Amino acid sequence: MKIIRQPEIVEAYHYELITGDKAVPTEINVGIKPIHLDEEDAEIANNKIESSVLGLRVMFQIVLGEFYVAGSVRQLVTVDKKRIDSPEDCTQEELDELMAPLFSIIKRLTYEVTEITLDQPGIELNFEANQ
């Protein structure tokens, strides 16, 4: 699967101490939205090998002891020579490959911010599935 990526965009990143009885759940939401061409572009595309344009987004809130990080990152990608109309059109390995740069940015931001705020080596997030 050939992926042509636009730059990743950090929409928001937030670090906050948990104070009082505030209950903060850990949540990670992954979104994949196909972006369809208008009719004229679709006619041109039908005469060529198909590709798909996808909007990818990860919205997250992750509790790390006495504080949490939250935010969202997104990216626009083109998947060459593969038609994707829904996430079900991809294997888990393909989805992991599509989303990897976004999770990498969340890891890097969290490491850097926690290194500064805690004045010690940063916290390394692991998004790998437990096996």
Side-chain angles (χ1 to χ4, degrees):
M1 179 168 74
K2 181 179 177 191
I3 302 170
I4 303 161
R5 297 180 182 276
Q6 298 300 313
E8 300 92 345
I9 297 173
V10 177
E11 295 177 316
Y13 186 88
H14 181 75
Y15 169 100
E16 186 171 333
L17 289 174
I18 299 172
T19 57
D21 294 334
K22 186 176 182 179
V24 179
T26 291
E27 299 177 328
I28 300 174
N29 297 305
V30 176
I32 298 174
K33 181 179 179 184
I35 299 172
H36 297 287
L37 304 171
D38 62 30
E39 285 184 36
E40 183 177 318
D41 289 339
E43 282 182 36
I44 294 168
N46 285 337
N47 295 325
K48 298 180 182 178
I49 297 172
E50 290 193 34
S51 61
S52 298
V53 178
L54 305 172
L56 309 176
R57 175 175 279 140
V58 177
M59 296 174 58
F60 60 94
Q61 180 170 284
I62 303 167
V63 177
L64 300 165
E66 297 178 353
F67 63 93
Y68 69 95
V69 294
S72 63
V73 293
R74 65 181 166 95
Q75 183 178 44
L76 191 64
V77 300
T78 301
V79 179
D80 197 27
K81 299 180 183 175
K82 180 169 176 129
R83 184 73 182 164
I84 300 172
D85 291 314
S86 72
E88 291 77 27
D89 294 335
C90 296
T91 66
Q92 186 60 51
E93 292 79 21
E94 290 171 331
L95 291 172
D96 292 345
E97 182 180 359
L98 285 168
M99 302 307 290
L102 298 180
F103 282 106
S104 179
I105 285 179
I106 296 167
K107 287 178 177 181
R108 184 171 173 208
L109 281 166
T110 301
Y111 183 88
E112 298 290 336
V113 168
T114 57
E115 182 177 47
I116 293 165
T117 59
L118 302 174
D119 195 25
Q120 62 187 27
I123 293 175
E124 293 187 31
L125 296 176
N126 180 2
F127 292 111
E128 300 297 320
N130 293 333
Q131 311 234 350

